Amino acid sequence: MAKETGRALLVGASRGLGAGLVSALSARGWDVTATVRDPKRGAPEGAASVERVDIDEPAQIEALHGRLADARFDLIFVVAGVSTADPTTPIHRESLSEALRLYRTNAISPIVFAEAFADRLAPGGMVALMSSTLGSIGRNTDGGYDAYRASKAALNMLARSFAARHKGIGVLIMHPGWVRTDMGGPQAPLDVETSTNAMAEAIAARRGLQGVAFVDWENKEIPW
Ligand SMILES: NC(=O)c1ccc[n+]([C@@H]2O[C@H](COP(=O)([O-])OP(=O)(O)OC[C@H]3O[C@@H](n4cnc5c(N)ncnc54)[C@H](OP(=O)(O)O)[C@@H]3O)[C@@H](O)[C@H]2O)c1
């Protein structure tokens, strides 16, 4: 594998897919700045540096933006996301606060973060956002996961608006597959390494992306 060059900011990298992406990208040659909510709980393996941010806290986003004033990233990947305690709860039985918590963290906060950091992208740089195939409206034939699906569909919509506002920035919306993490659970078919290595490959293939694309871990396009 030829070494890649580039600087990446990985947001939400304390565990699961975020931590896996730090390893996968750094192994390929990327210089990775990883963010976590609580640095006392440790740093993801492979990170060149670790920063602290909770994407639901605008003051923390602003502080990070200030700390990284001199940095220019070829990739900013917001991986952070949350699910509900019981994802099978239909929306009419879901608590409003829980549905809004998902909407905030999964849909609004990633775009607020991307907007704040648009000026920290290097020329030709790309924003990646972790969505899910469950956010595909076209693929929703079975229902279920209502609050989560709606939050990721909203992320996709807001990402397209972000791309429309920033014509020069490529926006890659990714589905990692169903992966064995705290969120994905032990029955998921993919392990973190397989998913994140494949996503790193997809990112390499999509460098220089113009506009917006919604793809899975194998770089296959997903219907909106
Ligand atoms: N696993 C799957 O099968 C699957 C499938 C489709 C999509 N996804 C998406 O992939 C992403 C990562 O999922 P995962 O499976 O790795 O989940 P995970 O193991 O539950 O990890 C979630 C990560 O997000 C961080 N996070 C949550 N809220 C945050 C906030 N407000 N600010 C900053 N960081 C925050 C967590 O940090 P803390 O450690 O501080 O809590 C943790 O690093 C999510 O967006 C998820 O929706 C996962």
Side-chain angles (χ1 to χ4, degrees), residues 143-168:
Y145 295 82
D146 281 359
Y148 183 77
R149 272 186 196 277
S151 71
K152 293 294 189 181
L155 172 65
N156 294 358
M157 178 62 82
L158 296 173
R160 289 189 66 119
S161 295
F162 174 86
R165 278 195 299 280
H166 299 279
K167 295 284 186 212

Side-chain angles (χ1 to χ4, degrees), residues 13-162:
S14 61
R15 56 196 165 95
L17 291 163
L21 275 164
V22 173
S23 292
L25 288 170
S26 63
R28 296 175 75 100
W30 288 78
D31 177 299
V32 183
T33 299
T35 81
V36 300
R37 286 197 283 194
D38 181 2
K40 289 199 284 294
R41 280 166 43 198
E45 202 178 308
S49 57
V50 179
E51 293 283 348
R52 170 177 172 250
V53 73
D54 182 325
I55 61 168
D56 292 335
E57 299 293 338
Q60 289 191 24
I61 294 177
E62 197 184 326
L64 180 65
H65 185 255
R67 290 199 299 279
L68 296 177
D70 297 329
R72 293 296 177 269
F73 296 99
D74 303 286
L75 171 70
I76 295 177
F77 197 157
V78 185
V79 182
V82 287
S83 185
T84 48
D86 179 4
T88 62
T89 306
I91 202 69
H92 60 286
R93 296 212 186 94
E94 190 59 86
S95 81
L96 183 59
S97 62
E98 186 67 347
L100 292 177
R101 182 178 72 88
L102 264 62
Y103 183 58
R104 179 185 187 183
T105 304
N106 290 352
I108 299 175
S109 297
I111 301 298
V112 169
F113 190 94
E115 197 65 56
F117 275 78
D119 64 354
R120 297 289 185 263
L121 274 172
M126 183 163 76
V127 167
L129 300 162
M130 194 67 94
S131 185
S132 169
T133 188
L134 293 175
S136 165
I137 291 172
R139 279 192 180 167
N140 185 7
T141 51
D142 298 330
Y145 295 82
D146 281 359
Y148 183 77
R149 272 186 196 277
S151 71
K152 293 294 189 181
L155 172 65
N156 294 358
M157 178 62 82
L158 296 173
R160 289 189 66 119
S161 295
F162 174 86

